Every structure is written in structure tokens, then in C-alpha cells.
């Protein structure tokens, strides 16, 4: 068996599935609202054959469609490095992510491209700079149901700008989250005080670009003019996200950042 389901205790092991997938698996097991999916552990990168994987992916997709009564399974395919987000190294932006991927063949190709990105020139150079091995870089791959979001956000349970542990910071913008994490848009920023969940600050940006689904993937488009200077989140949504960050911080026992 080359796949490990999110929420399976076997996928709690970061040495097998990487830190990203291991953390999501733990949260899924605790009934948090983690989009369903599966991981391909690190050893699959060297040991599995594409035909075997294709059959398992087809079976997994069928199970997900049946379990959630979906018309189709649309995937986000993301790398999950074994030595990712450690004390000194964060692999954000070093490996590939593929969104809006449908069908076993397309998912398998996205998985292979994620593996290949572990050996890319810039990823290997980053590993050298961090003092990590470049001989056999290995990554797990996480395949999750894509949330077709109108608004995406990244929540930090500690303010990453000031280091203030008493504040939650939220970056949000229209469309899928790649515009935020990829830096193609200046997002809205909200600061919430943890003690009483008061919204202390709202910086509403002029949001020019957004990532949207397109056949076989995504594309960047202009934000409609009437939305560019409109707040992407209501105060109620901001407070709901802050509550989520507080809950997850207690669960994980350290500050967290959350994509939603």
C-alpha cells in the first residue's frame, strides 16, 4: 500500500509523510475541518512504479467521491518535505504545488512533478544553505480535496511581524490562496487581540490580482474593480478565524499558521 489517509495514525509520523501532512493528519483525527485526502510517503518516491500508483490513486479517488458524495474529486497536490519547517529550515516556495487537478492521470503527473521539484536547482541550493543533505533529497506528497474558495487566508496565531504572542494576524484576499503565498497580491491584514477577540486593526489593500481555477490548473486574473478595495473578510469571519487559531495553538502546543 503506497497511500496513507489523512487521519490514519500511521500518517502522524513526519519522517514518513513530512511535517505538513503529519500535522494535518493529527488534526483530521481530532475532527478538525481538514479537507480529506491522502499522502504518498517518502519511500514511494524511490520504490513505487507509476502503474501501481495509478491504480491506487483511482481507488482512492473512488473512495473519496463515494464518502463525500462528490460529482468528481478535484485535488490540491502539494509537497511535504521530511525536513520541512524545522527549527531553522522552511521549504516554503522551494517545492511545487498544483491546484485544481482532476483525474488519476493528472494527479499522478502532479505527484511526479512534485518529486522532481525536490531535485530542482533552487531547492538543492536552499538545502545546501541550510546544511541539509543534497545527495538524496526526498519528499512526501499530499493530495487533498481542493476547496474552491471565494476568499483565502493565512492565519498566524502569533503576530509574525512584531512577535507579539497576544495577537493573531490574518492575511486574506480573493480567490485561491496561491496569490497570497506566492506574493502576487498585497492581501488585506487583520490584527485580533487574543484576550478579548477585539479586531485591533484592519488594513484593506488594493488587491489587483487573484488566483482562480482554470482547466487543468489555475491562472492569475485581475480582481474585478468593485472588489479591489473591498474588505475580503467580515469582522465575524475574522473573529471565527482567530478562534480557530487559538484552538489549534492549544492543540499543537505552539504557535501555528493556518491556511483556510
Amino acid at each position: 500500500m503506497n497511500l496513507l489517509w489523512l487521519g490514519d495514525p500511521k500518517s502522524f509520523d513526519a519522517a514518513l509523510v513530512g511535517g505538513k501532512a503529519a500535522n494535518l493528519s493529527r488534526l483530521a483525527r481530532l475532527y478538525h475541518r481538514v479537507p480529506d485526502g491522502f499522502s504518498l510517503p517518502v519511500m514511494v518516491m524511490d520504490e513505487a512504479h507509476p502503474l501501481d500508483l495509478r491504480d491506487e490513486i483511482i481507488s482512492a479517488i473512488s473512495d473519496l467521491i463515494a464518502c463525500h458524495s462528490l460529482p468528481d474529486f478535484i485535488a490540491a497536490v502539494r509537497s511535504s518535505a521530511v525536513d520541512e519547517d524545522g527549527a531553522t529550515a522552511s521549504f516554503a516556495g522551494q517545492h511545487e504545488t498544483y491546484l485544481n487537478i482532476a483525474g488519476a492521470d493528472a494527479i499522478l503527473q502532479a505527484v511526479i512533478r512534485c518529486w522532481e521539484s525536490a531535485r530542482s536547482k533552487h531547492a538543492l541550493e536552499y538545502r545546501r544553505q541550510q546544511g541539509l543533505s543534497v545527495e538524496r533529497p526526498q519528499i512526501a506528497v499530499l493530495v487533498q480535496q481542493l476547496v474552491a474558495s471565494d476568499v483565502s487566508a493565512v492565519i498566524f496565531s502569533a503576530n509574525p511581524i512584531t512577535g507579539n504572542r497576544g495577537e493573531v494576524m490574518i492575511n486574506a484576499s480573493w480567490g485561491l490562496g496561491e496569490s497570497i503565498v506566492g506574493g502576487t497580491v498585497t492581501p488585506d491584514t487583520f490584527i485580533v487581540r487574543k484576550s478579548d477577540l477585539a479586531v485591533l486593526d484592519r488594513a484593506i489593500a488594493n488587491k489587483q490580482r487573484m488566483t482562480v481555477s482554470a482547466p487543468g490548473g489555475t491562472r492569475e486574473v485581475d480582481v474585478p474593480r468593485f472588489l479591489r478595495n473591498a474588505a475580503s473578510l467580515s469582522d465575524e469571519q475574522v473573529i471565527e478565524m482567530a478562534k480557530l487559531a487559538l484552538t489549534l495553538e492549544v492543540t499543537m502546543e505552539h504557535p501555528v499558521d493556518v491556511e483556510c
Side-chain angles (χ1 to χ4, degrees):
M1 183 69 177
N2 291 310
L3 308 184
L4 290 176
W5 290 100
L6 285 175
D8 182 338
K10 293 177 184 175
S11 64
F12 295 178
D13 186 354
L16 274 182
V17 299
K20 183 184 299 176
N23 286 335
L24 288 173
S25 282
R26 293 188 192 100
L27 295 174
R29 188 72 173 186
L30 295 171
Y31 301 103
H32 286 284
R33 293 171 62 189
V34 177
D36 206 354
F38 54 87
S39 294
L40 288 84
V42 286
M43 73 285 277
V44 176
M45 185 174 176
D46 294 324
E47 296 175 1
H49 303 289
L51 188 59
D52 300 333
L53 275 185
R54 184 179 184 276
D55 291 342
E56 288 193 45
I57 289 171
I58 288 172
S59 177
I61 291 171
S62 297
D63 289 345
L64 287 164
I65 287 173
C67 180
H68 299 287
S69 301
L70 302 171
D72 197 1
F73 180 71
I74 309 299
V77 182
R78 309 159 69 197
S79 65
S80 182
V82 173
D83 34 17
E84 179 173 40
D85 296 343
T88 60
S90 171
F91 280 80
Q94 301 302 318
H95 302 142
E96 295 300 330
T97 292
Y98 298 95
L99 304 180
N100 195 38
I101 307 300
D105 289 322
I107 289 173
L108 179 56
Q109 287 305 310
V111 167
I112 291 169
R113 290 197 295 270
C114 282
W115 287 337
E116 290 171 346
S117 73
R119 302 186 178 101
S120 69
K121 183 177 179 180
H122 66 85
L124 291 176
E125 181 56 32
Y126 180 81
R127 296 183 72 88
R128 289 189 189 94
Q129 292 171 3
Q130 297 297 322
L132 301 171
S133 170
V134 297
E135 296 305 314
R136 292 181 66 242
Q138 289 187 307
I139 58 172
V141 178
L142 174 61
V143 179
Q144 281 182 284
Q145 183 181 0
L146 178 70
V147 177
S149 53
D150 295 319
V151 179
S152 296
V154 180
I155 317 167
F156 303 89
S157 71
N159 189 321
I161 306 300
T162 65
N164 189 337
R165 294 282 298 271
E167 294 178 347
V168 174
M169 188 176 92
I170 300 169
N171 292 141
S173 192
W174 305 113
L176 299 174
E178 286 302 287
S179 295
I180 301 174
V181 298
T184 61
V185 68
T186 300
D188 295 339
T189 300
F190 305 87
I191 304 294
V192 181
R193 186 167 55 211
K194 287 182 176 178
S195 60
D196 58 0
L197 295 175
V199 181
L200 299 179
D201 188 47
R202 304 169 191 79
I204 307 306
N206 182 358
K207 300 170 288 294
Q208 296 283 332
R209 303 285 283 173
M210 63 192 291
T211 304
V212 298
S213 296
T218 62
R219 62 191 178 103
E220 288 280 321
V221 299
D222 290 336
V223 173
R225 288 186 182 276
F226 74 97
L227 290 176
R228 290 180 187 177
N229 293 294
S232 54
L233 295 173
S234 67
D235 279 5
E236 290 78 14
Q237 290 171 319
V238 168
I239 292 168
E240 181 183 1
M241 290 181 177
K243 288 179 179 178
L244 172 63
L246 293 177
T247 299
L248 294 180
E249 187 174 71
V250 171
T251 300
M252 302 302 291
E253 300 181 335
H254 57 71
V256 298
D257 58 89
V258 188
E259 298 172 4
C260 65

